[in-house]
Amino acid sequence: MLTTVEAINARCSTPRLAEPGPTGAELRSLFRAAAAAPDHGKCKPWRFVVVPPAYADDFGEVLEQAYVRRCALAGDDVDAERCARERTRLRRAPTFVVVVCQPRTDLKIPLHEQQAAVAAATQNLLLAATSMGYGSMWATGAAATDPTVREALQLGPKDTIVGFVYLGSLPTSRERRGPRRDTDVSAVVRTWAPAPKGRPDPAPATASKARSDRRMSGI
């Protein structure tokens, strides 16, 4: 089992995953980890729809029909290879989960905060899977907003698909990669300081230089 920091650095998107996927007990553990995400107002807006392997081809047909429908509406030609990819999309991994935001409209918590909570839950899910030794992939694309897909999932009018999550074992030909290459945090982190009193705000160019000078030191 990886530590939290190890899991964060080891997590990467893997398009093709092998058997086995997480067991039922492991999936329950993953969903508990997902549901531990920050949640302003305790809305619990996350919902997880598991598509069992036995129904993978059925959901693949839904994705294919959705693609064909989008082509018809846009006046585009249907690509046979794309149809095949949509039809077999769930075969990329043994476990497929649709992450949905089902917002609480009876509370004053803004929609964007509830969607952010579900995104955080999705990241928790990926990191927990990584810590268990599984690979993962978080995808969206046109299918995430397609009416045909939404109808098949029986989503409400205000529900949104935050992601399609694929889970499974890493292929034997691929070892888990090491930590991500170092990020120069000084380029993305700075320390805020108030503007000097009695002086006008600096011009944009000067402000940019000032912000650069106030970047976090010692990191």
Side-chain angles (χ1 to χ4, degrees):
M1 184 75 76
L2 301 178
T3 67
T4 301
V5 174
E6 287 173 339
I8 290 172
N9 285 319
R11 190 218 62 78
C12 63
S13 298
T14 307
R16 298 280 177 179
L17 296 162
E19 294 280 359
T23 65
E26 287 174 329
L27 271 178
R28 287 190 291 274
S29 180
L30 292 178
F31 293 139
R32 282 194 295 270
D39 180 21
H40 184 197
K42 298 181 179 180
C43 299
K44 298 181 180 179
W46 38 72
R47 297 293 184 273
F48 307 99
V49 183
V50 180
V51 179
Y55 300 136
D57 289 344
D58 297 276
F59 196 78
E61 289 181 7
V62 171
L63 295 176
E64 180 185 12
Q65 292 167 5
Y67 163 66
V68 172
R69 177 181 174 278
R70 291 196 300 274
C71 287
L73 290 175
D76 297 332
D77 294 333
V78 173
D79 184 335
E81 291 185 0
R82 174 67 182 275
C83 281
R85 288 200 302 273
E86 295 295 339
R87 191 167 56 251
T88 59
R89 188 172 293 277
L90 271 65
R91 298 181 191 174
R92 294 178 178 179
T95 304
F96 180 78
V97 180
V98 184
V99 183
V100 176
C101 177
Q102 190 174 91
R104 289 283 302 275
T105 57
D106 58 323
L107 300 177
K108 294 183 178 180
I109 308 303
L111 175 60
H112 73 271
E113 290 192 8
Q114 298 191 52
Q115 291 174 329
V118 180
T122 306
Q123 176 72 338
N124 277 8
L125 176 64
L126 301 182
L127 294 178
T130 302
S131 73
M132 291 182 181
Y134 290 109
S136 63
M137 179 78 179
W138 177 357
T140 50
T145 56
D146 192 282
T148 301
V149 178
R150 291 175 52 81
E151 181 180 358
L153 292 169
Q154 300 179 349
L155 301 187
K158 296 186 180 297
D159 297 347
T160 56
I161 295 174
V162 173
F164 301 113
V165 174
Y166 301 81
L167 300 170
S169 298
L170 293 168
T172 54
S173 59
R174 172 176 179 153
E175 297 181 0
R176 185 175 296 285
R177 72 182 189 184
R180 296 172 181 272
R181 60 179 180 272
D182 289 339
T183 297
D184 180 10
V185 295
S186 65
V188 296
V189 180
R190 65 185 176 87
T191 302
W192 179 86
K197 294 183 179 180
R199 296 183 183 179
D201 291 337
T206 306
S208 177
K209 177 63 167 58
R211 284 195 295 271
S212 176
D213 292 342
R214 290 200 297 268
R215 284 175 178 169
M216 188 78 75
S217 59
I219 294 181

